[in-house]
Amino acid sequence: MKKVALICCLAFLISCKSGKTSPSVTKEENKPEFIKLNLSEVDAIKKNRAYELGKRVLMTCNTSSFKPFTAEEATEEVLKKINKEKISMTCQNILRVFGQFNDMQLVEALRFDENQTTLFRYKCDYEKKYKTKELQVTINDENKITAITTKDWKDAYHP
């Protein structure tokens, strides 16, 4: 039960999703409208930005030092929500439950045309391997992070 509470707390604290950047949902299907992109065709600048900034957040737990995002790297909403105190609290839980962060691998990229964002889904590799975590980094067409969240890994995208 403690583990479930910690994981819920972790997901809540790291989640920085803004209401303005969420994918559109149709009333009829109740599913987000997105296009799955071929990873080899994804803009390399967006792909690199998502990887570097996502990894920077996760590496904070290993190094105990957080380099804040700049206005060129993230939207104002994300800048307001990610701060040293929140990350520090989250890292304590991550280290206890998952151990040290090793790396992450890009698995999927999804394009949401309505809000002009691309969602990158990464499988995260931690020291303790009993559970797989996912990092989702959403980048807009200005190459700024609009959302960054962690979730338990699911093979298919679930908003």
Side-chain angles (χ1 to χ4, degrees), residues 42-49:
V42 176
D43 181 18
I45 294 171
K46 276 188 175 56
K47 198 184 320 185
N48 291 339
R49 168 90 29 136

Side-chain angles (χ1 to χ4, degrees), residues 10-153:
L10 169 71
F12 175 75
L13 291 174
I14 288 188
S15 128
C16 294
K17 194 161 193 167
S18 167
K20 294 180 181 176
T21 61
S22 62
S24 70
V25 178
T26 61
K27 292 179 182 178
E28 300 167 4
E29 299 174 15
N30 202 23
K31 292 183 180 182
E33 298 172 7
F34 62 86
I35 300 166
K36 186 174 179 178
L37 304 174
N38 184 335
L39 293 179
S40 63
E41 296 173 359
V42 176
D43 181 18
I45 294 171
K46 276 188 175 56
K47 198 184 320 185
N48 291 339
R49 168 90 29 136
Y51 178 82
E52 292 301 323
L53 298 179
K55 189 171 181 178
R56 183 195 311 175
V57 171
L58 296 178
M59 285 300 291
T60 298
C61 296
N62 294 355
T63 63
S64 298
S65 65
F66 173 63
K67 180 183 173 196
F69 294 136
T70 65
E72 290 79 36
E73 295 173 325
T75 60
E76 194 170 321
E77 293 86 11
V78 172
L79 293 174
K80 288 178 186 175
K81 292 181 181 181
I82 291 185
N83 60 51
K84 190 174 182 176
E85 293 77 28
K86 279 187 180 181
I87 289 183
S88 177
M89 256 180 29
T90 302
C91 283
Q92 289 174 6
N93 294 330
I94 287 175
L95 289 170
R96 188 177 322 120
V97 176
F98 298 99
Q100 295 280 316
F101 168 74
N102 294 325
D103 203 1
M104 59 190 197
Q105 178 182 358
L106 180 61
V107 175
E108 187 174 47
L110 308 170
R111 176 71 182 169
F112 297 88
D113 282 330
E114 187 165 317
N115 58 14
Q116 266 117 53
T117 60
T118 305
L119 173 80
F120 294 92
R121 295 182 66 220
Y122 295 92
K123 266 190 181 179
C124 298
D125 179 35
Y126 285 95
E127 181 179 37
K128 298 177 184 176
K129 309 255 187 236
Y130 73 93
K131 197 171 202 178
T132 304
K133 292 298 283 181
E134 166 180 348
L135 180 73
Q136 294 182 356
V137 180
T138 306
I139 304 255
N140 65 16
D141 285 348
E142 297 172 0
N143 291 326
K144 292 183 179 183
I145 288 183
T146 60
I148 185 166
T149 57
T150 61
K151 297 182 177 190
D152 289 336
W153 176 259

